[in-house]
């Protein structure tokens, strides 16, 4: 994985030791990115089984709900994307079957507004939620907000902050899209950089509807969005001069080519799955996916990657089963003392 060191197999996100089960204390570290194996392990710890279509739909609906609320409140895209990233992180540790996805979405918006210094009162956010849910009804007054719901959101805020280990460092791909495009424009002057940058920016916005923000660092997502934007524009317009095929884009984007292609693949999967476009668009996305697969096959596996890392990055099904409470169930209770450890980098 670009920008992160893979763990040994079967290493859980939260270190689990004998002290957890004794009701004493345990340490929790913030992990910025997860391998595919770690994501599968976390899903197993939640005893969810393979992610169902219903759960994927819930995640997409929640991200759209956050986007709509953010726009209603006049938040910049950075705040909205931070909200969506927080939602994905919460969902890594807590099953959507246990908590209202709408309340968690509101909590993520509330916390993100503080992180990005675009703070809104919780009552104002709940008023916007009512307006989005019931656009034809009379606007709710802040004094009409149910106090029990407000207290519930405050309680979820504490859970969310504990989930992210009180680490508020979050980088977005938008700034890297701009930096990379300025650099590309310097040696490819004939490129319509504004058109490519705009397309890549929109792809980066949509990337937060997927789990990419917890898998890859921002610069890798930006590189994947630019790479995919070039292919999409060339599909749409034969005259568009995209990125040259013979350039070492993995070196330019400071990422593995496999990661750049995976970012593109996951965004294409999102568009195909949501199916909000025409059949021609779906066919176009499918053609690009096939081309990316053929490109990866012809290139072959990464020769400098060791087998352990390859297994970590390889997609896999859930492989842990628990008859009783899982270690994650124990961690998520209030029966232990938790110490949070922060990176010094």
């Amino acid at each position: 994985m670009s920008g992160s060191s893979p763990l040994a197999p079967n290493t859980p996100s939260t270190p689990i030791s004998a002290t957890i089960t004794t009701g004493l204390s345990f340490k929790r570290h913030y992990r910025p990115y997860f391998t595919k194996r770690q994501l599968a392990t976390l899903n197993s710890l939640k005893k969810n089984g393979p992610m169902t279509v219903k759960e994927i739909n819930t995640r997409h609906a929640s991200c759209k709900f956050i986007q709509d609320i953010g726009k209603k409140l006049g938040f910049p895209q950075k705040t909205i994307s931070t909200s969506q990233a927080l939602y994905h992180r919460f969902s890594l540790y807590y099953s959507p079957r246990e908590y209202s996805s709408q309340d968690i979405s509101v909590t993520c918006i509330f916390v993100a507004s503080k992180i990005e210094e675009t703070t809104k009162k919780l009552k104002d956010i709940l008023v916007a939620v009512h307006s989005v849910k019931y656009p034809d009804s009379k606007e709710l007054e802040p004094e009409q907000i149910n106090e029990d719901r407000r207290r519930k959101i405050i309680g979820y805020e504490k859970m969310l902050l504990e989930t992210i280990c009180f680490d508020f460092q979050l980088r977005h791909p938008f700034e890297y899209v701009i930096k990379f495009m300025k650099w590309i424009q310097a040696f490819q002057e004939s490129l319509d950089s504004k058109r490519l940058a705009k397309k890549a920016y929109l792809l980066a916005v949509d990337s937060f509807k997927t789990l990419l923000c917890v898998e890859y660092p921002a610069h890798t997502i930006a590189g994947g969005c630019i790479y995919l934007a070039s292919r999409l524009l060339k599909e749409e317009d034969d005259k568009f001069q995209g990125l040259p095929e013979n350039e070492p884009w993995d070196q330019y984007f400071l990422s593995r080519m496999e990661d750049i292609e995976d970012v593109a693949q996951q965004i294409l999967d999102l568009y195909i799955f949501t199916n909000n476009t025409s059949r021609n668009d779906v066919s176009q996305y499918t053609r690009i996916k096939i081309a990316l697969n053929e490109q990866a096959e012809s290139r072959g596996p990464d020769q400098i990657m060791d087998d352990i890392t390859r297994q970590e990055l390889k997609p896999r099904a859930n492989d842990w089963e628990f008859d009783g409470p899982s270690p994650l169930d124990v961690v998520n209770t209030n029966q232990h003392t938790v110490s949070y450890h922060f990176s010094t980098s």
Side-chain angles (χ1 to χ4, degrees), residues 24-309:
L24 297 176
S25 65
F26 67 93
K27 299 177 181 180
R28 195 163 190 168
H29 297 262
Y30 178 78
R31 187 178 304 287
Y33 310 112
F34 297 81
T35 66
K36 295 186 186 301
R37 180 166 189 166
Q38 290 165 354
L39 291 175
T41 298
L42 280 171
N43 212 42
S44 295
L45 289 170
K46 290 186 297 182
K47 296 182 291 187
N48 270 1
M51 187 171 288
T52 64
V53 173
K54 182 178 180 180
E55 289 170 339
I56 295 174
N57 280 329
T58 299
R59 187 177 71 206
H60 292 163
S62 297
C63 289
K64 184 181 184 304
F65 181 69
I66 290 172
Q67 186 82 27
D68 293 341
I69 300 301
K71 287 182 177 179
K72 181 72 176 180
L73 290 165
F75 283 150
Q77 184 59 48
K78 190 175 181 181
T79 301
I80 296 172
S81 296
T82 296
S83 306
Q84 293 168 328
L86 292 175
Y87 179 86
H88 290 311
R89 287 197 169 271
F90 185 90
S91 299
L92 291 180
Y93 295 94
Y94 296 94
S95 172
R97 303 167 189 167
E98 299 175 3
Y99 299 94
S100 164
S101 59
Q102 188 177 109
D103 286 341
I104 298 303
S105 298
V106 173
T107 306
C108 293
I109 294 171
F110 184 47
V111 174
S113 72
K114 297 178 182 180
I115 293 175
E116 301 298 343
E117 299 181 351
T118 53
T119 309
K120 291 280 187 182
K121 293 180 179 179
L122 180 54
K123 286 187 175 181
D124 293 335
I125 294 176
L126 291 172
V127 167
V129 169
H130 183 271
S131 298
V132 169
K133 286 184 64 180
Y134 310 105
D136 298 328
S137 65
K138 182 180 177 181
E139 186 168 302
L140 200 65
E141 294 296 330
E143 293 74 19
Q144 297 176 284
I145 298 298
N146 186 292
E147 184 63 21
D148 289 340
R149 189 179 188 193
R150 193 188 71 82
R151 289 177 180 174
K152 183 188 290 185
I153 300 300
I154 296 299
Y156 287 155
E157 179 186 17
K158 178 177 178 291
M159 291 175 60
L160 177 60
L161 294 175
E162 291 174 347
T163 300
I164 64 174
C165 299
F166 300 91
D167 192 310
F168 308 123
Q169 302 178 64
L170 182 65
R171 302 300 294 267
H172 293 80
F174 313 125
E175 58 188 280
Y176 290 103
V177 168
I178 296 172
K179 290 178 180 179
F180 283 145
M181 286 308 308
K182 286 182 177 179
W183 184 85
I184 293 171
Q185 178 64 26
F187 74 85
Q188 193 176 350
E189 297 180 359
S190 60
L191 177 69
D192 188 348
S193 59
K194 288 186 177 180
R195 187 178 175 188
L196 181 57
K198 183 178 180 180
K199 185 72 171 179
Y201 177 87
L202 294 176
L203 294 175
V205 169
D206 286 340
S207 74
F208 282 92
K209 298 175 183 176
T210 72
L211 290 175
L212 284 170
C213 59
V214 298
E215 281 194 68
Y216 297 109
H219 71 275
T220 299
I221 297 175
C225 290
I226 294 172
Y227 192 74
L228 177 58
S230 174
R231 284 181 170 266
L232 286 171
L233 289 173
K234 284 195 287 187
E235 280 273 342
E236 296 169 5
D237 183 0
D238 294 336
K239 297 180 181 179
F240 180 79
Q241 184 180 357
L243 302 179
E245 296 289 342
N246 57 347
E247 294 289 341
W249 294 109
D250 53 342
Q251 297 178 32
Y252 295 160
F253 294 143
L254 307 176
S255 306
R256 296 171 60 247
M257 198 63 215
E258 290 83 355
D259 294 342
I260 294 171
E261 291 169 346
D262 188 39
V263 169
Q265 292 273 18
Q266 290 196 46
I267 295 175
L268 290 171
D269 287 339
L270 169 71
Y271 292 157
I272 293 172
F273 183 87
T274 53
N275 200 21
N276 294 327
T277 53
S278 67
R279 289 185 179 180
N280 289 336
D281 288 333
V282 172
S283 298
Q284 176 189 7
Y285 301 148
T286 304
R287 284 196 302 272
I288 295 176
K289 281 182 64 64
I290 293 172
L292 290 173
N293 288 331
E294 291 175 347
Q295 176 177 287
E297 187 175 347
S298 63
R299 185 177 61 249
D302 191 338
Q303 297 299 320
I304 64 174
M305 181 180 290
D306 59 85
D307 290 337
I308 292 177
T309 304

